[in-house]
Amino acid sequence: MPPSPKVTVAYLADLARLEITDAEVAQQERDFQDILAYVAKIGKVPATGQTLTTTISGVRHVVREDVPTPSTLADALLAVAPERRGRLIRVPVIFG
Amino acid sequence: MKTPSIIRDLAASLRNGEVTAVELLERTYQAIAAKEDRVNAFISLTREEAAAQAREIDERRQAGEILPLLAGIPCALKDVLCTRGVRTTAASRILENFVPPYDAEVVARLRREGAVFVGKTNQDEFAMGSSTEISSAGPTTNPHDASRVAGGSSGGSVAAVAAEMVPYALGTDTGGSVREPASFCGVVGLRPTYGRVSRYGVVAYASSFDQVGPVARTVEDTAIVYEAIAGPDPKDSTTLPEPVPSVLPTLNDGVRGLKVGVPKEYFTEGVDPEVSVTVRRAIDAVVNLGARATEVSLPLTDVANAVYIILTRAEASTNLARYDGIRYGRRVPAPTLEEIYRRSRGEGFGVEVKRRILLGTFALSAGYADKYYRKAAAVRREIAAEYARVFEEVDVLLGPAAPEVAFPIGEKVDDPLRMYAVDVLTVSQPVAGVPALIVPCGTAHGLPVGLQIIAAQGREDLCFRLGAAYEAVAGSQ
């Protein structure tokens, strides 16, 4: 089953919040179709995923208790932000 | 028989005072200066930091301290590994000025061993490539032939070792990014079992595949570095919880009695016949040492690359969502938040990274996730089961690492499917989570070829044992 006509590179770029030039769209569209044709071979393998396998080692993600702890990294992490005001990361106005 | 180790020889020279860490570092930068114009292995050199590390090691040694084996020995780090206070770009414009505030766990572990970091090595952007041509720093060339690629994506780390700039380096391997360049450049490289080595502080590409791996010129050196970086890490909950058994005590045990499987799918018509002949000669040498070889079959080898492509692009599309121009990395100013995201990502990512984000977004999108992402994940399980079955019959698998030797620069860079086809023999192991070691095994068309030694999950010891036994006779072939 080929993807529906609405699944274009421009549509996917929009979903991925990725600016893409007109020149890029044509090339990416060709590559996308070629790659999709190549990976279609997985359809021939009789495998059904009852439970989704997200990792191969069997190790499960372990989440620690959600308890605030002091971090010495906060200022260092703030320092790598592209724009700051004081101890805040600066962004354009979201609510007008 | 003693296995060759450049690291042990250098450590001995440092301990008995024949050379100081500062002198060793000077020699390293001289070697880099002599060859870097041609090889382009590094994105940045860290002269000041390295000099301070070397001076500290010399002072501690002079004060009578007994230091670890790696103390004072120079090494290179792939630019996808975060280094505290040292620019880490992942060869991407979006991270061109990123200076991490912390070390990757593997970097922290080597730092504790006293390693001296000489620089950050070139790679394909975000480790997405097989040639180290897709880099904001330009291509790395093969030290054996400057008109050809070093392989990728860890091409800079591998070329730096092959050109004898450094005795060892760290790369990362998601679908062959340590092993394929190691094969192309004629050095030793390991992809560990998934979960053996912490991914904390490694710029993520595909999290259920990414592993850090050592590159060196001898099997023992690779084993030494592997032991220094492996083991559970509370900061990466996907690391395997059990302690890592040492691989060094069995390094000299030989291969007598080992059962070796030769997958027939690794010698199909898609593999250059000269590469096949070279690898089969190496397998004969292993048999002559007392191993028993049988042909085995891994029928899903042919679909592994499709599974790999779908799952890694899906994981990449979510992992790279973090680069939005807000918290770190490149920000392209724009009047709205949405436009900042789009423009920062549009200008910051290269064409291959965009290609992977687009396919991954598709594979996870409503209406297609079942057919692509979930189906690929289900086939992944079948591939892992296939490996598990074959490892009930044999101890290790032997084959080539790539279907060809290093190819000319520019030959495949505009043809993604041809570039992806180079990965065909190195993707099924990460799909299955098993370890694999590359050991140089001769040449084809005058260029290096690597023998790929694959073992069951957690059995790096068998990779190293067979690798060391083969290495000892390889020179006399």
Side-chain angles (χ1 to χ4, degrees):
Chain A
M1 180 188 71
S4 92
K6 86 168 175 130
V7 180
T8 60
V9 159
Y11 169 74
L12 294 169
D14 190 53
L15 283 182
R17 291 193 161 113
L18 193 59
E19 189 175 73
I20 192 159
T21 65
D22 292 344
E24 284 176 303
V25 166
Q27 181 62 47
Q28 291 280 9
E29 196 77 60
R30 273 197 300 279
D31 295 341
F32 178 73
Q33 296 303 335
D34 289 349
I35 296 163
L36 220 52
Y38 174 75
V39 300
K41 61 172 81 173
I42 63 159
K44 294 184 190 143
V45 182
T48 52
Q50 294 303 317
T51 48
L52 181 64
T53 307
T54 53
T55 185
I56 206 66
S57 61
V59 172
R60 288 184 308 115
H61 270 290
V62 182
V63 181
R64 65 175 160 78
E65 291 292 307
D66 191 11
V67 179
T69 50
S71 169
T72 52
L73 270 180
D75 287 316
L77 290 171
L78 267 171
V80 295
E83 282 188 72
R84 292 179 303 280
R85 185 192 283 166
R87 294 197 81 234
L88 302 171
I89 293 173
R90 192 185 162 102
V91 294
V93 172
I94 297 170
F95 301 107
Chain B
M1 186 178 160
K2 198 172 160 290
T3 49
S5 168
I6 294 159
I7 289 173
R8 284 199 196 282
D9 291 348
L10 288 173
S13 299
L14 285 162
R15 276 183 185 148
N16 65 26
E18 283 171 30
V19 69
T20 65
V22 168
E23 286 164 358
L24 205 51
L25 183 64
E26 281 167 11
R27 281 190 216 163
T28 299
Y29 280 126
Q30 280 164 11
I32 292 171
K35 296 164 185 166
E36 180 63 356
D37 276 355
R38 192 166 56 88
V39 179
N40 194 32
F42 287 88
I43 288 178
S44 48
L45 294 172
T46 49
R47 290 174 193 275
E48 283 177 26
E49 293 86 350
Q53 283 176 305
R55 274 196 305 272
E56 189 203 321
I57 292 297
D58 285 339
E59 283 163 14
R60 285 166 62 189
R61 204 185 300 276
Q62 244 170 4
E65 201 177 326
I66 303 297
L67 296 169
L69 191 60
L70 294 174
I73 297 178
C75 77
L77 301 169
K78 187 174 181 178
D79 209 26
V80 80
L81 304 172
C82 283
T83 39
R84 190 182 63 225
V86 171
R87 197 167 70 108
T88 300
T89 71
S92 181
R93 288 178 66 193
I94 209 157
L95 288 175
E96 64 191 349
N97 294 314
F98 176 58
V99 178
Y102 59 87
D103 279 333
E105 176 63 16
V106 289
V107 175
R109 287 185 187 200
L110 288 184
R111 207 185 280 282
R112 283 199 293 275
E113 296 288 313
V116 175
F117 306 131
V118 303
K120 306 295 294 287
T121 58
N122 201 8
Q123 56 166 89
D124 291 294
E125 184 178 4
F126 284 104
M128 297 179 185
S130 311
S131 65
T132 314
E133 291 171 283
I134 310 167
S135 165
S136 57
T140 292
T141 67
N142 193 306
H144 297 270
D145 179 347
S147 73
R148 290 173 185 268
V149 300
S153 66
S154 307
S157 285
V158 170
V161 172
E164 303 190 10
M165 296 171 173
V166 285
Y168 76 96
L170 294 186
T172 60
D173 188 310
T174 302
S177 284
V178 162
R179 291 166 291 148
E180 180 245 23
S183 181
F184 282 6
C185 294
V187 298
V188 182
L190 174 76
R191 175 191 165 86
T193 302
Y194 181 79
R196 223 13 151 197
V197 178
S198 172
R199 291 180 298 107
Y200 177 80
V202 180
V203 176
Y205 158 23
S207 302
S208 80
F209 293 80
D210 297 343
Q211 274 293 285
V212 178
V215 181
R217 289 200 293 283
T218 78
V219 172
E220 182 169 356
D221 284 350
T222 310
I224 288 167
V225 180
Y226 161 70
E227 291 199 352
I229 61 171
D233 174 16
K235 297 189 292 302
D236 173 3
S237 65
T238 61
T239 48
L240 300 166
E242 57 267 21
V244 182
S246 176
V247 297
L248 292 168
T250 55
L251 206 58
N252 292 311
D253 282 5
V255 295
R256 191 158 296 283
L258 273 191
K259 285 181 279 182
V260 168
V262 182
K264 61 179 184 189
E265 292 80 7
Y266 284 46
F267 294 90
T268 57
E269 67 273 20
V271 179
D272 182 327
E274 279 205 34
V275 170
S276 291
V277 166
T278 300
V279 171
R280 284 202 186 273
R281 205 179 296 136
I283 295 170
D284 289 345
V286 172
V287 170
N288 285 338
L289 291 169
R292 282 178 290 152
T294 50
E295 186 178 85
V296 297
S297 180
L298 292 162
L300 291 173
T301 299
D302 179 50
V303 294
N305 208 8
V307 168
Y308 170 80
I309 288 170
I310 294 170
L311 294 178
T312 53
R313 277 50 166 181
E315 293 184 20
S317 74
T318 51
N319 266 330
L320 270 61
R322 74 190 67 180
Y323 302 104
D324 57 7
I326 303 302
R327 288 157 301 163
Y328 61 103
R330 184 188 183 92
R331 174 187 288 197
V332 178
T336 68
L337 197 61
E338 184 78 16
E339 282 303 300
I340 288 179
Y341 296 157
R342 289 175 192 279
R343 289 186 199 170
S344 299
R345 293 162 63 74
E347 287 186 23
F349 292 138
V351 63
E352 179 61 25
V353 174
K354 287 181 183 176
R355 194 177 282 131
R356 296 191 188 201
I357 290 173
L358 291 168
L359 190 76
T361 303
F362 169 73
L364 290 170
S365 65
Y368 299 97
D370 281 349
K371 188 178 171 212
Y372 290 95
Y373 179 69
R374 293 188 77 98
K375 176 72 182 186
V379 179
R380 181 180 199 180
R381 275 239 281 247
E382 297 298 320
I383 292 171
E386 192 169 273
Y387 266 103
R389 276 196 300 275
V390 89
F391 282 125
E392 286 173 9
E393 308 294 323
V394 299
D395 299 306
V396 294
L397 297 168
L398 297 180
E404 57 190 307
V405 293
F407 47 87
I409 288 171
E411 183 184 274
K412 302 180 203 287
V413 74
D414 296 321
D415 189 343
L417 273 180
R418 277 187 76 200
M419 188 70 90
Y420 302 167
V422 181
D423 303 339
V424 69
L425 299 175
T426 50
V427 288
S428 67
Q429 304 81 21
V431 164
V434 300
L437 180 75
I438 303 300
V439 179
C441 71
T443 59
H445 309 289
L447 290 161
V449 172
L451 172 68
Q452 181 164 219
I453 308 162
I454 307 160
Q457 285 185 15
R459 296 308 306 268
E460 282 85 352
D461 61 318
L462 293 176
C463 296
F464 282 117
R465 195 175 134 194
L466 191 145
Y470 173 71
E471 180 184 55
V473 296
S476 57
Q477 257 191 80

